[in-house]
Amino acid sequence: MLDLTYCDFNGTFDIQGFETGRSILTKLKTLNLGDNKFNESIITSLSTLSSLTNLDLSQNPMLGPFPAQEFTALENLEMLDLSYCGFTGTFEIQGSERVPILRKLKTLNLVSNGFNESVIKSLNTLSSLTTLDLSYNPMSGPFPAQELSHLINLEELDLSGTQFNGTPNIQACKTLSILKRLESISLYDNNFDKSIISCLSVLPSLKILDLSRSKSLGTSFPVQGIPFLEQ
């Protein structure tokens, strides 16, 4: 484990000596580089660390779309933190049909980037995901039920502050029933009305639902739909 947070490093993370044939950091499993000044090219620099299971690059100034291909060599990665990095657009995993990318990833933190709602569909190939945090990315539209239904191992989901503002149709809501392991959802600081509760009632294992600061729930307590949280 190597922790280099708050060190004010910048640029890339060049692993000197790799070209000479020496193996460097071959057993490293956890690398924390949060809160430095690395740019997006650092991901290429880390490609030789194939033993990594946990990687924290949060709060580094990166730009543009997510460079998925650069993660191809990190085949053992289980936790990836890219919060507050400045990525935008989608989370396209190019070539995922040909080369498995991030196939072992269980925890993905993308808090406070510039991803839009299409990012969720882009994550469909990450079938091992158990924890997904997309809070405070600029999204819009109804709750993405159909897009989320592909993440069959999901246990925790955070969509706080994403500004979703509607409930999908009944058929879309029914697709959520396949998420049999999903126990916790945070929809804090969004614009959902009471109908979202009925939509989420199809989730068989849901135990925690955070709707605080929902601006459109109305003035009466939403009794209908709440009983499904008794499990």
Side-chain angles (χ1 to χ4, degrees), residues 102-137:
L102 299 175
R103 58 191 175 87
K104 294 183 180 180
L105 195 66
K106 294 181 179 180
T107 299
L108 178 60
N109 188 340
L110 298 177
V111 174
S112 290
N113 280 278
F115 293 115
N116 58 42
E117 59 275 10
S118 64
V119 70
I120 301 176
K121 186 176 182 179
S122 304
L123 300 176
N124 285 352
T125 61
L126 304 181
S127 58
S128 296
L129 272 187
T130 60
T131 302
L132 175 61
D133 193 339
L134 290 170
S135 57
Y136 294 96
N137 280 276

PDB file of all heavy atoms in Angstrom, residues 102-137:
ATOM      1  N   LEU A 102     -12.013  -3.225 -16.771  1.00  0.00           N
ATOM      2  CA  LEU A 102     -12.556  -3.021 -15.433  1.00  0.00           C
ATOM      3  C   LEU A 102     -13.612  -4.077 -15.089  1.00  0.00           C
ATOM      4  O   LEU A 102     -14.575  -3.794 -14.393  1.00  0.00           O
ATOM      5  CB  LEU A 102     -13.161  -1.612 -15.316  1.00  0.00           C
ATOM      6  CG  LEU A 102     -12.190  -0.449 -15.544  1.00  0.00           C
ATOM      7  CD1 LEU A 102     -12.948   0.874 -15.516  1.00  0.00           C
ATOM      8  CD2 LEU A 102     -11.082  -0.430 -14.502  1.00  0.00           C
ATOM      9  N   ARG A 103     -13.406  -5.296 -15.544  1.00  0.00           N
ATOM     10  CA  ARG A 103     -14.424  -6.338 -15.359  1.00  0.00           C
ATOM     11  C   ARG A 103     -14.533  -6.804 -13.916  1.00  0.00           C
ATOM     12  O   ARG A 103     -15.528  -7.429 -13.544  1.00  0.00           O
ATOM     13  CB  ARG A 103     -14.138  -7.541 -16.269  1.00  0.00           C
ATOM     14  CG  ARG A 103     -12.793  -8.187 -16.061  1.00  0.00           C
ATOM     15  CD  ARG A 103     -12.484  -9.188 -17.167  1.00  0.00           C
ATOM     16  NE  ARG A 103     -11.130  -9.731 -17.048  1.00  0.00           N
ATOM     17  CZ  ARG A 103     -10.813 -10.783 -16.322  1.00  0.00           C
ATOM     18  NH1 ARG A 103     -11.760 -11.402 -15.637  1.00  0.00           N
ATOM     19  NH2 ARG A 103      -9.579 -11.228 -16.262  1.00  0.00           N
ATOM     20  N   LYS A 104     -13.512  -6.509 -13.068  1.00  0.00           N
ATOM     21  CA  LYS A 104     -13.569  -6.904 -11.667  1.00  0.00           C
ATOM     22  C   LYS A 104     -13.961  -5.742 -10.757  1.00  0.00           C
ATOM     23  O   LYS A 104     -14.035  -5.901  -9.538  1.00  0.00           O
ATOM     24  CB  LYS A 104     -12.215  -7.462 -11.218  1.00  0.00           C
ATOM     25  CG  LYS A 104     -11.820  -8.763 -11.902  1.00  0.00           C
ATOM     26  CD  LYS A 104     -10.500  -9.287 -11.349  1.00  0.00           C
ATOM     27  CE  LYS A 104     -10.083 -10.582 -12.016  1.00  0.00           C
ATOM     28  NZ  LYS A 104      -8.794 -11.105 -11.477  1.00  0.00           N
ATOM     29  N   LEU A 105     -14.222  -4.585 -11.347  1.00  0.00           N
ATOM     30  CA  LEU A 105     -14.487  -3.385 -10.555  1.00  0.00           C
ATOM     31  C   LEU A 105     -15.762  -3.535  -9.738  1.00  0.00           C
ATOM     32  O   LEU A 105     -16.826  -3.846 -10.265  1.00  0.00           O
ATOM     33  CB  LEU A 105     -14.596  -2.172 -11.472  1.00  0.00           C
ATOM     34  CG  LEU A 105     -14.510  -0.812 -10.783  1.00  0.00           C
ATOM     35  CD1 LEU A 105     -13.118  -0.599 -10.192  1.00  0.00           C
ATOM     36  CD2 LEU A 105     -14.832   0.313 -11.761  1.00  0.00           C
ATOM     37  N   LYS A 106     -15.647  -3.297  -8.428  1.00  0.00           N
ATOM     38  CA  LYS A 106     -16.784  -3.411  -7.519  1.00  0.00           C
ATOM     39  C   LYS A 106     -17.260  -2.050  -7.012  1.00  0.00           C
ATOM     40  O   LYS A 106     -18.449  -1.858  -6.760  1.00  0.00           O
ATOM     41  CB  LYS A 106     -16.425  -4.307  -6.338  1.00  0.00           C
ATOM     42  CG  LYS A 106     -16.166  -5.767  -6.727  1.00  0.00           C
ATOM     43  CD  LYS A 106     -15.837  -6.599  -5.507  1.00  0.00           C
ATOM     44  CE  LYS A 106     -15.608  -8.049  -5.891  1.00  0.00           C
ATOM     45  NZ  LYS A 106     -15.282  -8.886  -4.695  1.00  0.00           N
ATOM     46  N   THR A 107     -16.335  -1.118  -6.844  1.00  0.00           N
ATOM     47  CA  THR A 107     -16.683   0.202  -6.307  1.00  0.00           C
ATOM     48  C   THR A 107     -16.193   1.287  -7.251  1.00  0.00           C
ATOM     49  O   THR A 107     -15.010   1.332  -7.586  1.00  0.00           O
ATOM     50  CB  THR A 107     -16.053   0.414  -4.916  1.00  0.00           C
ATOM     51  OG1 THR A 107     -16.555  -0.579  -4.009  1.00  0.00           O
ATOM     52  CG2 THR A 107     -16.391   1.797  -4.380  1.00  0.00           C
ATOM     53  N   LEU A 108     -17.109   2.159  -7.678  1.00  0.00           N
ATOM     54  CA  LEU A 108     -16.762   3.252  -8.589  1.00  0.00           C
ATOM     55  C   LEU A 108     -17.315   4.558  -8.034  1.00  0.00           C
ATOM     56  O   LEU A 108     -18.512   4.702  -7.803  1.00  0.00           O
ATOM     57  CB  LEU A 108     -17.356   2.991  -9.974  1.00  0.00           C
ATOM     58  CG  LEU A 108     -17.110   4.067 -11.032  1.00  0.00           C
ATOM     59  CD1 LEU A 108     -15.619   4.272 -11.272  1.00  0.00           C
ATOM     60  CD2 LEU A 108     -17.810   3.685 -12.341  1.00  0.00           C
ATOM     61  N   ASN A 109     -16.412   5.510  -7.803  1.00  0.00           N
ATOM     62  CA  ASN A 109     -16.775   6.817  -7.258  1.00  0.00           C
ATOM     63  C   ASN A 109     -16.493   7.888  -8.311  1.00  0.00           C
ATOM     64  O   ASN A 109     -15.336   8.147  -8.642  1.00  0.00           O
ATOM     65  CB  ASN A 109     -15.971   7.095  -5.982  1.00  0.00           C
ATOM     66  CG  ASN A 109     -16.448   8.343  -5.259  1.00  0.00           C
ATOM     67  OD1 ASN A 109     -17.099   9.207  -5.845  1.00  0.00           O
ATOM     68  ND2 ASN A 109     -16.108   8.463  -3.983  1.00  0.00           N
ATOM     69  N   LEU A 110     -17.563   8.490  -8.826  1.00  0.00           N
ATOM     70  CA  LEU A 110     -17.437   9.546  -9.843  1.00  0.00           C
ATOM     71  C   LEU A 110     -18.063  10.852  -9.362  1.00  0.00           C
ATOM     72  O   LEU A 110     -18.491  11.681 -10.157  1.00  0.00           O
ATOM     73  CB  LEU A 110     -18.122   9.098 -11.146  1.00  0.00           C
ATOM     74  CG  LEU A 110     -17.548   7.852 -11.824  1.00  0.00           C
ATOM     75  CD1 LEU A 110     -18.360   7.494 -13.060  1.00  0.00           C
ATOM     76  CD2 LEU A 110     -16.090   8.055 -12.203  1.00  0.00           C
ATOM     77  N   VAL A 111     -18.069  11.075  -8.063  1.00  0.00           N
ATOM     78  CA  VAL A 111     -18.697  12.264  -7.471  1.00  0.00           C
ATOM     79  C   VAL A 111     -18.125  13.556  -8.056  1.00  0.00           C
ATOM     80  O   VAL A 111     -16.915  13.703  -8.243  1.00  0.00           O
ATOM     81  CB  VAL A 111     -18.501  12.273  -5.935  1.00  0.00           C
ATOM     82  CG1 VAL A 111     -19.017  13.568  -5.331  1.00  0.00           C
ATOM     83  CG2 VAL A 111     -19.174  11.071  -5.305  1.00  0.00           C
ATOM     84  N   SER A 112     -19.036  14.487  -8.337  1.00  0.00           N
ATOM     85  CA  SER A 112     -18.665  15.858  -8.715  1.00  0.00           C
ATOM     86  C   SER A 112     -17.703  15.925  -9.898  1.00  0.00           C
ATOM     87  O   SER A 112     -16.633  16.540  -9.832  1.00  0.00           O
ATOM     88  CB  SER A 112     -18.068  16.603  -7.512  1.00  0.00           C
ATOM     89  OG  SER A 112     -19.059  16.873  -6.561  1.00  0.00           O
ATOM     90  N   ASN A 113     -18.099  15.279 -10.984  1.00  0.00           N
ATOM     91  CA  ASN A 113     -17.445  15.477 -12.264  1.00  0.00           C
ATOM     92  C   ASN A 113     -18.437  16.195 -13.180  1.00  0.00           C
ATOM     93  O   ASN A 113     -19.374  16.821 -12.688  1.00  0.00           O
ATOM     94  CB  ASN A 113     -17.009  14.128 -12.850  1.00  0.00           C
ATOM     95  CG  ASN A 113     -15.712  13.625 -12.239  1.00  0.00           C
ATOM     96  OD1 ASN A 113     -14.614  14.018 -12.631  1.00  0.00           O
ATOM     97  ND2 ASN A 113     -15.822  12.729 -11.258  1.00  0.00           N
ATOM     98  N   GLY A 114     -18.257  16.084 -14.473  1.00  0.00           N
ATOM     99  CA  GLY A 114     -19.178  16.722 -15.412  1.00  0.00           C
ATOM    100  C   GLY A 114     -19.907  15.724 -16.276  1.00  0.00           C
ATOM    101  O   GLY A 114     -20.297  16.041 -17.404  1.00  0.00           O
ATOM    102  N   PHE A 115     -20.101  14.492 -15.763  1.00  0.00           N
ATOM    103  CA  PHE A 115     -20.796  13.460 -16.524  1.00  0.00           C
ATOM    104  C   PHE A 115     -22.291  13.777 -16.642  1.00  0.00           C
ATOM    105  O   PHE A 115     -22.904  14.246 -15.687  1.00  0.00           O
ATOM    106  CB  PHE A 115     -20.625  12.097 -15.867  1.00  0.00           C
ATOM    107  CG  PHE A 115     -19.210  11.569 -15.896  1.00  0.00           C
ATOM    108  CD1 PHE A 115     -18.496  11.387 -14.724  1.00  0.00           C
ATOM    109  CD2 PHE A 115     -18.598  11.265 -17.100  1.00  0.00           C
ATOM    110  CE1 PHE A 115     -17.196  10.901 -14.744  1.00  0.00           C
ATOM    111  CE2 PHE A 115     -17.290  10.779 -17.133  1.00  0.00           C
ATOM    112  CZ  PHE A 115     -16.589  10.589 -15.957  1.00  0.00           C
ATOM    113  N   ASN A 116     -22.868  13.471 -17.807  1.00  0.00           N
ATOM    114  CA  ASN A 116     -24.313  13.636 -17.949  1.00  0.00           C
ATOM    115  C   ASN A 116     -25.017  12.296 -17.763  1.00  0.00           C
ATOM    116  O   ASN A 116     -24.385  11.289 -17.471  1.00  0.00           O
ATOM    117  CB  ASN A 116     -24.654  14.282 -19.307  1.00  0.00           C
ATOM    118  CG  ASN A 116     -24.121  13.469 -20.478  1.00  0.00           C
ATOM    119  OD1 ASN A 116     -24.205  12.233 -20.486  1.00  0.00           O
ATOM    120  ND2 ASN A 116     -23.571  14.151 -21.478  1.00  0.00           N
ATOM    121  N   GLU A 117     -26.342  12.296 -17.970  1.00  0.00           N
ATOM    122  CA  GLU A 117     -27.124  11.094 -17.654  1.00  0.00           C
ATOM    123  C   GLU A 117     -26.751   9.883 -18.520  1.00  0.00           C
ATOM    124  O   GLU A 117     -26.970   8.734 -18.117  1.00  0.00           O
ATOM    125  CB  GLU A 117     -28.618  11.366 -17.778  1.00  0.00           C
ATOM    126  CG  GLU A 117     -29.085  11.825 -19.141  1.00  0.00           C
ATOM    127  CD  GLU A 117     -28.949  13.328 -19.356  1.00  0.00           C
ATOM    128  OE1 GLU A 117     -28.312  14.006 -18.525  1.00  0.00           O
ATOM    129  OE2 GLU A 117     -29.500  13.812 -20.356  1.00  0.00           O
ATOM    130  N   SER A 118     -26.148  10.109 -19.686  1.00  0.00           N
ATOM    131  CA  SER A 118     -25.778   8.988 -20.554  1.00  0.00           C
ATOM    132  C   SER A 118     -24.654   8.145 -19.963  1.00  0.00           C
ATOM    133  O   SER A 118     -24.388   7.041 -20.442  1.00  0.00           O
ATOM    134  CB  SER A 118     -25.369   9.503 -21.944  1.00  0.00           C
ATOM    135  OG  SER A 118     -24.200  10.303 -21.862  1.00  0.00           O
ATOM    136  N   VAL A 119     -23.990   8.651 -18.939  1.00  0.00           N
ATOM    137  CA  VAL A 119     -22.913   7.894 -18.307  1.00  0.00           C
ATOM    138  C   VAL A 119     -23.415   6.565 -17.752  1.00  0.00           C
ATOM    139  O   VAL A 119     -22.690   5.575 -17.731  1.00  0.00           O
ATOM    140  CB  VAL A 119     -22.236   8.714 -17.188  1.00  0.00           C
ATOM    141  CG1 VAL A 119     -23.141   8.892 -16.004  1.00  0.00           C
ATOM    142  CG2 VAL A 119     -20.928   8.062 -16.745  1.00  0.00           C
ATOM    143  N   ILE A 120     -24.669   6.519 -17.310  1.00  0.00           N
ATOM    144  CA  ILE A 120     -25.188   5.299 -16.677  1.00  0.00           C
ATOM    145  C   ILE A 120     -25.270   4.159 -17.690  1.00  0.00           C
ATOM    146  O   ILE A 120     -24.901   3.019 -17.401  1.00  0.00           O
ATOM    147  CB  ILE A 120     -26.551   5.581 -16.020  1.00  0.00           C
ATOM    148  CG1 ILE A 120     -26.393   6.687 -14.976  1.00  0.00           C
ATOM    149  CG2 ILE A 120     -27.114   4.317 -15.385  1.00  0.00           C
ATOM    150  CD1 ILE A 120     -27.675   7.130 -14.331  1.00  0.00           C
ATOM    151  N   LYS A 121     -25.729   4.454 -18.889  1.00  0.00           N
ATOM    152  CA  LYS A 121     -25.766   3.435 -19.940  1.00  0.00           C
ATOM    153  C   LYS A 121     -24.363   2.972 -20.289  1.00  0.00           C
ATOM    154  O   LYS A 121     -24.143   1.798 -20.618  1.00  0.00           O
ATOM    155  CB  LYS A 121     -26.470   3.988 -21.176  1.00  0.00           C
ATOM    156  CG  LYS A 121     -26.680   2.954 -22.262  1.00  0.00           C
ATOM    157  CD  LYS A 121     -27.474   3.527 -23.420  1.00  0.00           C
ATOM    158  CE  LYS A 121     -27.713   2.469 -24.491  1.00  0.00           C
ATOM    159  NZ  LYS A 121     -28.506   2.999 -25.624  1.00  0.00           N
ATOM    160  N   SER A 122     -23.395   3.874 -20.205  1.00  0.00           N
ATOM    161  CA  SER A 122     -22.005   3.531 -20.517  1.00  0.00           C
ATOM    162  C   SER A 122     -21.412   2.529 -19.535  1.00  0.00           C
ATOM    163  O   SER A 122     -20.414   1.880 -19.834  1.00  0.00           O
ATOM    164  CB  SER A 122     -21.133   4.796 -20.512  1.00  0.00           C
ATOM    165  OG  SER A 122     -21.624   5.774 -21.393  1.00  0.00           O
ATOM    166  N   LEU A 123     -22.017   2.414 -18.361  1.00  0.00           N
ATOM    167  CA  LEU A 123     -21.491   1.535 -17.319  1.00  0.00           C
ATOM    168  C   LEU A 123     -22.054   0.117 -17.398  1.00  0.00           C
ATOM    169  O   LEU A 123     -21.730  -0.719 -16.562  1.00  0.00           O
ATOM    170  CB  LEU A 123     -21.807   2.130 -15.938  1.00  0.00           C
ATOM    171  CG  LEU A 123     -21.238   3.521 -15.651  1.00  0.00           C
ATOM    172  CD1 LEU A 123     -21.728   4.012 -14.292  1.00  0.00           C
ATOM    173  CD2 LEU A 123     -19.719   3.519 -15.686  1.00  0.00           C
ATOM    174  N   ASN A 124     -22.870  -0.163 -18.395  1.00  0.00           N
ATOM    175  CA  ASN A 124     -23.555  -1.452 -18.480  1.00  0.00           C
ATOM    176  C   ASN A 124     -22.625  -2.655 -18.482  1.00  0.00           C
ATOM    177  O   ASN A 124     -23.002  -3.745 -18.056  1.00  0.00           O
ATOM    178  CB  ASN A 124     -24.437  -1.509 -19.734  1.00  0.00           C
ATOM    179  CG  ASN A 124     -25.706  -0.697 -19.581  1.00  0.00           C
ATOM    180  OD1 ASN A 124     -26.008  -0.211 -18.501  1.00  0.00           O
ATOM    181  ND2 ASN A 124     -26.441  -0.541 -20.663  1.00  0.00           N
ATOM    182  N   THR A 125     -21.403  -2.482 -18.976  1.00  0.00           N
ATOM    183  CA  THR A 125     -20.469  -3.611 -19.053  1.00  0.00           C
ATOM    184  C   THR A 125     -19.805  -3.921 -17.714  1.00  0.00           C
ATOM    185  O   THR A 125     -19.151  -4.953 -17.581  1.00  0.00           O
ATOM    186  CB  THR A 125     -19.375  -3.340 -20.094  1.00  0.00           C
ATOM    187  OG1 THR A 125     -18.633  -2.171 -19.727  1.00  0.00           O
ATOM    188  CG2 THR A 125     -19.983  -3.152 -21.478  1.00  0.00           C
ATOM    189  N   LEU A 126     -19.986  -3.048 -16.736  1.00  0.00           N
ATOM    190  CA  LEU A 126     -19.342  -3.250 -15.431  1.00  0.00           C
ATOM    191  C   LEU A 126     -20.260  -4.069 -14.531  1.00  0.00           C
ATOM    192  O   LEU A 126     -20.762  -3.604 -13.516  1.00  0.00           O
ATOM    193  CB  LEU A 126     -19.017  -1.897 -14.787  1.00  0.00           C
ATOM    194  CG  LEU A 126     -18.147  -0.951 -15.620  1.00  0.00           C
ATOM    195  CD1 LEU A 126     -17.880   0.334 -14.851  1.00  0.00           C
ATOM    196  CD2 LEU A 126     -16.836  -1.619 -16.014  1.00  0.00           C
ATOM    197  N   SER A 127     -20.438  -5.319 -14.891  1.00  0.00           N
ATOM    198  CA  SER A 127     -21.423  -6.167 -14.211  1.00  0.00           C
ATOM    199  C   SER A 127     -21.027  -6.554 -12.795  1.00  0.00           C
ATOM    200  O   SER A 127     -21.849  -7.071 -12.039  1.00  0.00           O
ATOM    201  CB  SER A 127     -21.676  -7.430 -15.034  1.00  0.00           C
ATOM    202  OG  SER A 127     -20.473  -8.152 -15.232  1.00  0.00           O
ATOM    203  N   SER A 128     -19.773  -6.320 -12.400  1.00  0.00           N
ATOM    204  CA  SER A 128     -19.327  -6.667 -11.047  1.00  0.00           C
ATOM    205  C   SER A 128     -19.575  -5.553 -10.040  1.00  0.00           C
ATOM    206  O   SER A 128     -19.356  -5.748  -8.838  1.00  0.00           O
ATOM    207  CB  SER A 128     -17.830  -7.024 -11.047  1.00  0.00           C
ATOM    208  OG  SER A 128     -17.586  -8.180 -11.815  1.00  0.00           O
ATOM    209  N   LEU A 129     -20.018  -4.392 -10.501  1.00  0.00           N
ATOM    210  CA  LEU A 129     -20.206  -3.244  -9.611  1.00  0.00           C
ATOM    211  C   LEU A 129     -21.178  -3.549  -8.476  1.00  0.00           C
ATOM    212  O   LEU A 129     -22.282  -4.037  -8.707  1.00  0.00           O
ATOM    213  CB  LEU A 129     -20.724  -2.038 -10.380  1.00  0.00           C
ATOM    214  CG  LEU A 129     -19.743  -1.079 -11.033  1.00  0.00           C
ATOM    215  CD1 LEU A 129     -20.487   0.115 -11.591  1.00  0.00           C
ATOM    216  CD2 LEU A 129     -18.666  -0.625 -10.070  1.00  0.00           C
ATOM    217  N   THR A 130     -20.753  -3.230  -7.250  1.00  0.00           N
ATOM    218  CA  THR A 130     -21.641  -3.328  -6.096  1.00  0.00           C
ATOM    219  C   THR A 130     -21.954  -1.950  -5.519  1.00  0.00           C
ATOM    220  O   THR A 130     -23.008  -1.758  -4.925  1.00  0.00           O
ATOM    221  CB  THR A 130     -21.027  -4.207  -4.985  1.00  0.00           C
ATOM    222  OG1 THR A 130     -19.788  -3.634  -4.550  1.00  0.00           O
ATOM    223  CG2 THR A 130     -20.772  -5.619  -5.493  1.00  0.00           C
ATOM    224  N   THR A 131     -21.036  -1.000  -5.702  1.00  0.00           N
ATOM    225  CA  THR A 131     -21.227   0.355  -5.167  1.00  0.00           C
ATOM    226  C   THR A 131     -20.948   1.381  -6.255  1.00  0.00           C
ATOM    227  O   THR A 131     -19.872   1.385  -6.849  1.00  0.00           O
ATOM    228  CB  THR A 131     -20.281   0.610  -3.974  1.00  0.00           C
ATOM    229  OG1 THR A 131     -20.524  -0.358  -2.955  1.00  0.00           O
ATOM    230  CG2 THR A 131     -20.511   2.000  -3.396  1.00  0.00           C
ATOM    231  N   LEU A 132     -21.930   2.242  -6.516  1.00  0.00           N
ATOM    232  CA  LEU A 132     -21.795   3.269  -7.553  1.00  0.00           C
ATOM    233  C   LEU A 132     -22.227   4.615  -6.995  1.00  0.00           C
ATOM    234  O   LEU A 132     -23.346   4.764  -6.519  1.00  0.00           O
ATOM    235  CB  LEU A 132     -22.657   2.899  -8.760  1.00  0.00           C
ATOM    236  CG  LEU A 132     -22.719   3.921  -9.902  1.00  0.00           C
ATOM    237  CD1 LEU A 132     -21.344   4.171 -10.492  1.00  0.00           C
ATOM    238  CD2 LEU A 132     -23.694   3.444 -10.987  1.00  0.00           C
ATOM    239  N   ASP A 133     -21.322   5.594  -7.065  1.00  0.00           N
ATOM    240  CA  ASP A 133     -21.617   6.947  -6.585  1.00  0.00           C
ATOM    241  C   ASP A 133     -21.468   7.922  -7.743  1.00  0.00           C
ATOM    242  O   ASP A 133     -20.357   8.181  -8.215  1.00  0.00           O
ATOM    243  CB  ASP A 133     -20.682   7.327  -5.442  1.00  0.00           C
ATOM    244  CG  ASP A 133     -21.156   8.581  -4.700  1.00  0.00           C
ATOM    245  OD1 ASP A 133     -21.929   9.359  -5.284  1.00  0.00           O
ATOM    246  OD2 ASP A 133     -20.738   8.761  -3.534  1.00  0.00           O
ATOM    247  N   LEU A 134     -22.586   8.450  -8.212  1.00  0.00           N
ATOM    248  CA  LEU A 134     -22.614   9.431  -9.298  1.00  0.00           C
ATOM    249  C   LEU A 134     -23.124  10.779  -8.813  1.00  0.00           C
ATOM    250  O   LEU A 134     -23.514  11.625  -9.624  1.00  0.00           O
ATOM    251  CB  LEU A 134     -23.520   8.927 -10.430  1.00  0.00           C
ATOM    252  CG  LEU A 134     -23.009   7.731 -11.239  1.00  0.00           C
ATOM    253  CD1 LEU A 134     -24.107   7.196 -12.147  1.00  0.00           C
ATOM    254  CD2 LEU A 134     -21.793   8.111 -12.060  1.00  0.00           C
ATOM    255  N   SER A 135     -23.111  10.993  -7.522  1.00  0.00           N
ATOM    256  CA  SER A 135     -23.695  12.207  -6.973  1.00  0.00           C
ATOM    257  C   SER A 135     -23.007  13.474  -7.491  1.00  0.00           C
ATOM    258  O   SER A 135     -21.820  13.489  -7.782  1.00  0.00           O
ATOM    259  CB  SER A 135     -23.633  12.178  -5.439  1.00  0.00           C
ATOM    260  OG  SER A 135     -22.306  12.006  -4.975  1.00  0.00           O
ATOM    261  N   TYR A 136     -23.830  14.497  -7.640  1.00  0.00           N
ATOM    262  CA  TYR A 136     -23.379  15.824  -8.060  1.00  0.00           C
ATOM    263  C   TYR A 136     -22.655  15.822  -9.399  1.00  0.00           C
ATOM    264  O   TYR A 136     -21.602  16.430  -9.575  1.00  0.00           O
ATOM    265  CB  TYR A 136     -22.554  16.479  -6.942  1.00  0.00           C
ATOM    266  CG  TYR A 136     -23.436  16.755  -5.747  1.00  0.00           C
ATOM    267  CD1 TYR A 136     -23.481  15.858  -4.689  1.00  0.00           C
ATOM    268  CD2 TYR A 136     -24.297  17.846  -5.723  1.00  0.00           C
ATOM    269  CE1 TYR A 136     -24.347  16.054  -3.621  1.00  0.00           C
ATOM    270  CE2 TYR A 136     -25.159  18.055  -4.665  1.00  0.00           C
ATOM    271  CZ  TYR A 136     -25.177  17.150  -3.617  1.00  0.00           C
ATOM    272  OH  TYR A 136     -26.048  17.351  -2.571  1.00  0.00           O
ATOM    273  N   ASN A 137     -23.265  15.131 -10.355  1.00  0.00           N
ATOM    274  CA  ASN A 137     -22.937  15.270 -11.765  1.00  0.00           C
ATOM    275  C   ASN A 137     -24.159  15.882 -12.446  1.00  0.00           C
ATOM    276  O   ASN A 137     -25.295  15.632 -12.021  1.00  0.00           O
ATOM    277  CB  ASN A 137     -22.615  13.902 -12.386  1.00  0.00           C
ATOM    278  CG  ASN A 137     -21.201  13.445 -12.074  1.00  0.00           C
ATOM    279  OD1 ASN A 137     -20.238  13.802 -12.743  1.00  0.00           O
ATOM    280  ND2 ASN A 137     -21.067  12.629 -11.023  1.00  0.00           N
TER     281      ASN A 137
END
